[in-house]
Each structure stands twice: as structure tokens, then as C-alpha cells.
Amino acid sequence: MTKTRHQPIDAALVPRFAGHSTFMRLPAVDSAAGLDIALVGIPWDGGTTNRAGARHGPREVRNQSSLMRRANHQTGIAPYDIASVADVGDLAVQPIDLMSALRQIEEGIAAICAQGARPLSVGGDHLTTLPVLRAISKALGEPLGLVQFDAHSDTNDSYFGDNPYTHGTPFRRAIEEGILDPARIVQIGIRGSVYAADEHRWAKDQGIRIVYIEEFSERGPAEIMAEVHAIIGAGPAYVTFDIDSIDPSMAPGTGTPEIGGLTTREAQTMLRLLSGLNIVGADVVEVAPPFDLGGMTALAGATMMFELLCVMAEGGGQSVASA
């Protein structure tokens, strides 16, 4: 079947501030049928433990994504010429009941997977990644590897008593459920004060490779990403980009900012170096517009989304409907 290569609206013909707001100014479609990559919003932040607001992230990232053009100036990748990509809208996630919301997200991503498309989503807080991983892992019938750009490990056990589902726990739950292979997880940019000196002990005991920001600063993007390739290998992998991995001087609009983070240029460099991995899905999370300044965090989110789109389009990736 010949797939439609959807193209963004040309900003030289229709100004960026005009027309419907969609991811990358691509067509809005009703389903993922016929797509290689489905751009989808997950406007939900019911797992947030402090500053809420990431539920508004997808809308503002859409607005700022109007600044993205057709090709990557550094890699030369023109994603819309090599993959069928469109905006499939937002998942309908109710904001009141957490467990119902997680089911809705999983069902929405499962529908995208069943149609053969790989999801590239914008959250939402980081708990949105858990049901996405559930859907993709079930579709493939195997656990996934994970490349995580973040200030926080998000492998804590519980918050506020015995509550196991927050944006600080998704990857602990994912490992316990068998949907992530901890030996194929790399977390990059981890930093900041912690609740206890041994807070990351559980993660390390599972085999997660944690790259603290100090190690990253010493070794640099190329060396770190070469190690990522060695750890992830050829198996299916998911990429999650928490906007708080970027220093808050460049991305202040997030729920849990941590100073001393990545620069936007370092983040772009590392995302480009994902090329060659078998990426079956990806996301950008924790963009919280109520705390943003001049849309700069949403712009960073849209830019990282475009970088992820380029490597996903270039690599092809394993079909999530293959199982």
C-alpha cells in the first residue's frame, strides 16, 4: 500500500500564527491508520506531586511546533519525505480518577499500535509514560529497553503513604510489571538533592545504568551515547524525554525544576546520536505552561519532539503491530 506523505503547512504561504494548531502544522487525522508515526497529545497530570500544569503541555507544544521546519539542518533528515506522519489529536483522558486515566491512556496507545503506527506523544506528567509502555510492550509481546533523559530517576516506590502511582514511580512499576528490561535502561542527566543518600539503590540493584549530570559533563555526548547504543543493542527501545532534564534557565516551565541540567544544544546532540536504535515509541513530558516564560519551555519541547521524529523516521523502527 502506498502511504500518504503528509506535509506541514508552508509558513511562506500561511503564517505560523494562522490556521489550526497541530503538531508540526501537519494534518489532523481521525486515526493512525496508514501512518508510520502518530503524533499524539496526552493532556493529563494526575500523577504530579507538587506543581501541576503539564496537562496543558500538548496544546502549547503544538503552538510552538509551528516554528519547526521540514528538515534537520545538521543531519539532513526530512522526516515527512520518508515517513507518513500526522497529528492524531489528544487522548481523551478524564482528570479525576487516576486508575481510570491510566486505563484510558493505555487503550488509546494500544489502538495506535494496532494500526501499525509508532506513537510519539507529548504529555502530561511522567506517569503518562507507564501506560504507553504497557501498550507497546503488550503489542510487541516482549519487554522494552529505555533511554530516559531526566533530572530524576523516577524509580521511587510510593508517595504520600502507600500511593504507588505518581510521576516519581513509573519506571519502578514498569520493571515490576516486566514491561521494561532493567539491563537495557539508561537514565541520563540525573541530578539534584534526594530524599535519602541511597535513594537510587533499588534502581542500581536492578541493573539500570544511571548517568549523573557530573559524569555526563566529564565525558560528553558522543561517549555517553556510544555507551547507550552498547547497552540498548538491537532490541526494541522507547525514548522518554522529560523536559526537566534541561536546565531551568532554558526550560523553566516544568513541575520539578533542578538547576545544573543539560543545555538545549547538548540535548539536541544526544537525540541525534540515537540514530540506529530500534525506536518503537517516544515521548516528551512535563512541559508545564503555567510556569513557562515566553513559551521557551514549550519551544524546547517541540524542538526535542522534532529531533525524536527525525531519528524515528530515519530508522524505520520495528512495527508495534508485529506481534
Side-chain angles (χ1 to χ4, degrees), residues 190-212:
I190 308 302
R191 63 188 188 278
S193 57
V194 290
Y195 291 108
D198 64 348
E199 181 176 317
H200 299 149
R201 176 54 51 198
W202 184 89
K204 292 176 180 178
D205 286 346
Q206 309 314 302
I208 294 176
R209 173 68 170 100
I210 298 179
V211 180
Y212 293 99

Side-chain angles (χ1 to χ4, degrees), residues 5 7 36 77-85 309-310 312-315:
R5 297 285 189 263
Q7 297 294 320
D36 297 308
I77 298 170
Y80 315 113
D81 293 340
I82 55 179
S84 180
V85 189
L309 174 60
C310 287
M312 290 176 70
E314 175 199 30

Side-chain angles (χ1 to χ4, degrees), residues 215-229:
E215 180 183 355
F216 167 79
S217 298
E218 182 177 328
R219 296 177 62 196
E223 190 173 324
I224 293 298
M225 295 311 290
E227 184 179 356
V228 167
H229 277 263

Side-chain angles (χ1 to χ4, degrees), residues 198-306:
D198 64 348
E199 181 176 317
H200 299 149
R201 176 54 51 198
W202 184 89
K204 292 176 180 178
D205 286 346
Q206 309 314 302
I208 294 176
R209 173 68 170 100
I210 298 179
V211 180
Y212 293 99
I213 195 66
E214 293 80 8
E215 180 183 355
F216 167 79
S217 298
E218 182 177 328
R219 296 177 62 196
E223 190 173 324
I224 293 298
M225 295 311 290
E227 184 179 356
V228 167
H229 277 263
I231 291 172
I232 298 298
Y238 189 88
V239 181
T240 184
F241 192 98
D242 189 323
I243 205 69
D244 71 23
S245 63
I246 296 175
D247 191 87
S249 64
M250 297 183 176
T254 191
T256 313
E258 300 284 356
I259 68 165
L262 303 170
T263 68
T264 49
R265 184 180 301 140
E266 289 168 337
Q268 286 178 284
T269 298
M270 285 192 288
L271 292 182
R272 292 166 186 166
L273 290 171
L274 291 167
S275 178
L277 292 181
N278 179 11
I279 301 173
V280 294
D283 64 39
V284 176
V285 297
E286 296 286 357
V287 174
F291 304 103
D292 207 359
L293 297 173
M296 61 191 298
T297 309
L299 174 59
T303 305
M304 301 310 153
M305 186 185 189
F306 180 73

